[in-house]
Amino acid sequence: MAIVTNSFMEGVSGAIGQEIVFKKYYGETVVSKMPDMSKRVLSAKQIEQNERMSLATIYAKYIYKTEEGKIIARIRLKLPAHKSLFHALVKEFLDQNKKNTLEEMDKNLDKSLTPNV
């Protein structure tokens, strides 16, 4: 890992191909090789949290599709214009389903996504 002191590279972040990564640590740009995540093993709790986040993201994307849905959600959540609606929708879904199992969350998501007739 190398710290970049060149002002030309200041503020650079991201990856070049699958080999080099530019990161920011405490205001300094660091260059390192791409981490090898192929041998990473997730715990059961991490897998469950990833699935919960996936369901919450589906919910937020569904509401975020239409301009009308965004306006209604922003009013319902009493969210100021400078706050992220997408993040607020994800948080809302996760908070509503905090104590539910994944199966219950999935059912709640289905209920949320079906139009009221």
Side-chain angles (χ1 to χ4, degrees), residues 74 79-86 88:
R74 191 169 287 279
L79 199 66
H82 67 280
K83 296 282 186 172
S84 170
L85 176 61
F86 190 85

Side-chain angles (χ1 to χ4, degrees), residues 26-43:
Y26 304 106
E28 293 183 332
T29 304
V30 176
V31 182
S32 66
K33 71 176 191 157
M34 181 75 81
D36 179 16
M37 303 299 275
S38 64
K39 296 177 184 166
R40 181 178 66 149
V41 178
L42 297 176
S43 68

Side-chain angles (χ1 to χ4, degrees), residues 15 19 27 31 36 48-49 68 71 76 89 93 95 110 117:
E19 296 183 25
V31 182
D36 179 16
E48 181 182 340
Q49 283 303 111
E68 180 185 342
I71 292 169
R76 179 173 40 86
L89 290 170
F93 187 81
D95 287 347
D110 289 341
V117 179

Side-chain angles (χ1 to χ4, degrees), residues 7 19 24 34 55 68 73 76 81 83 103 107 113:
S7 62
E19 296 183 25
K24 296 283 285 179
M34 181 75 81
L55 292 173
E68 180 185 342
R76 179 173 40 86
K83 296 282 186 172
E103 291 77 26
K107 287 178 189 173
L113 300 184

